[in-house]
Amino acid sequence: MYEHYSDKLASRKVFQKRVLGAGSFAVGIFLFSLIIGMSGYHFIVRLSWIDSFMNASMILGGMGQVSELHTDSDKIFASLYALFSGVAFLSSVAIFLTPLIHRFLHKFHMKLPPEDDLEE
């Protein structure tokens, strides 16, 4: 998928395509996670769709639970969703940053021409 460190640096157009692809995939993971949380809060915890959206987005963003949970099934769902959200959030950030970090490291490790060629 990415070029080897000894290969020439990818063009700006290829790099932009990689960033767009990684960003789209990261947003997809984020939206999928939000839909899972909203569905769980709506059907398991019995919150309205707006309250489900608020709770799911707050947990997915790392802020924490908003609504009070009453039953054991509510608490189990919220706990599992919080664990899942942490992994999903970190994974989506890592996927988004991958092309940027790769390009930086590729530039850092590029072979320079011999010093004799630089003096001319």
Side-chain angles (χ1 to χ4, degrees):
M1 182 172 158
Y2 294 106
E3 63 275 358
H4 190 264
Y5 78 91
S6 61
D7 294 339
K8 187 178 174 184
L9 189 65
S11 68
R12 184 177 293 260
K13 188 172 184 173
V14 170
F15 174 66
Q16 289 172 344
K17 190 174 180 180
R18 287 178 184 167
V19 171
L20 183 63
S24 299
F25 193 68
V27 168
I29 291 172
F30 200 75
L31 290 175
F32 178 72
S33 303
L34 188 61
I35 289 169
I36 288 174
M38 287 176 61
S39 299
Y41 278 111
H42 183 72
F43 295 115
I44 296 172
V45 184
R46 303 279 185 216
L47 295 177
S48 69
W49 282 110
I50 297 296
D51 289 337
S52 298
F53 172 71
M54 181 179 63
N55 276 289
S57 46
M58 291 295 280
I59 285 187
L60 192 57
M63 298 300 289
Q65 184 71 32
V66 176
S67 298
E68 189 175 333
L69 304 174
H70 301 288
T71 66
D72 289 342
S73 62
D74 297 352
K75 295 172 186 176
I76 290 171
F77 167 74
S79 299
L80 292 175
Y81 181 66
L83 292 171
F84 168 78
S85 293
V87 172
F89 182 77
L90 292 175
S91 298
S92 62
V93 169
I95 289 169
F96 177 72
L97 291 177
T98 296
L100 302 169
I101 293 170
H102 176 267
R103 188 154 179 103
F104 170 76
L105 291 175
H106 191 105
K107 275 187 166 183
F108 186 69
H109 285 99
M110 284 178 59
K111 292 184 179 180
L112 296 174
E115 288 187 29
D116 296 339
D117 293 342
L118 293 175
E119 292 177 2
E120 294 177 8

